[in-house]
Amino acid sequence: MQTIWLSGAEWLAVLRIGLGLWWLESWRHKDRKGWFERGTGIAWAADVAAKHRWTFVKGGFQRVVAPRPKAMAYLVVYAELALGLGLVFGFLTPVALIGGLLLNLLYLVLMIHDWAEQGQNAMMALISLVALLAMSWQTWSLDAAIGLFL
């Protein structure tokens, strides 16, 4: 593979790190006080799920998220932080890529009617898939430094 400036493996690491920074930005701009104390994030998602065109989304939300809104708020917010840190530092990278891919697909299904959200989540899911299949943790990562996932 011929590339300009960096090697192909280094460009994949750039892609992985950029995705991690995207997750960190998602975590940074969240109103954590609103999510944790007032339940704004889960309440917003409940409203979206209640109006969703696919009944399995509403049912799934009612079974999984609605009974435990506080725990789900912490799970969502800190999953985004963990994904970002894991991808930026390249630690447990395949786990972070799979987790991010699943979270983006979940967001994509929940927000199926919102074209702006679909674009962001589709792109993040695509980057996760490429970075996973290309084993982007081989360069500039703690995984490579300690010999994980070789």
Side-chain angles (χ1 to χ4, degrees):
M1 170 193 290
Q2 290 186 332
T3 67
I4 297 173
W5 189 38
L6 300 174
S7 71
E10 290 168 337
W11 280 119
L12 287 166
V14 167
L15 190 66
R16 182 200 81 229
I17 292 165
L19 180 61
L21 292 172
W22 202 343
W23 278 116
L24 288 175
E25 174 56 21
S26 181
W27 174 79
R28 185 200 64 79
H29 83 261
K30 279 208 174 15
D31 174 11
R32 286 179 286 285
K33 190 172 185 171
W35 272 72
F36 300 149
E37 293 177 17
R38 296 186 309 275
T40 56
I42 299 302
W44 168 82
D47 185 56
V48 172
K51 299 174 187 170
H52 206 281
R53 67 176 83 160
W54 297 335
T55 56
F56 78 88
V57 172
K58 180 180 180 180
F61 190 92
Q62 290 301 319
R63 279 188 301 282
V64 177
V65 180
R68 49 192 79 77
K70 194 159 197 94
M72 289 296 154
Y74 277 93
L75 180 66
V76 167
V77 171
Y78 287 109
E80 290 181 357
L81 174 62
L83 292 169
L85 292 173
L87 294 172
V88 167
F89 291 105
F91 183 64
L92 299 176
T93 311
V95 175
L97 289 167
I98 291 168
L101 177 61
L102 293 174
L103 194 55
N104 280 126
L105 292 175
L106 185 68
Y107 290 169
L108 185 66
V109 168
L110 181 62
M111 296 302 299
I112 199 72
H113 67 282
D114 186 333
W115 289 104
E117 283 291 324
Q118 280 185 332
Q120 174 181 321
N121 289 301
M123 285 300 98
M124 290 177 80
L126 179 61
I127 293 168
S128 294
L129 187 61
V130 169
L132 179 66
L133 296 178
M135 298 171 41
S136 65
W137 55 89
Q138 296 177 81
T139 302
W140 301 340
S141 73
L142 290 174
D143 290 338
I146 60 178
L148 286 176
F149 311 110
L150 297 177

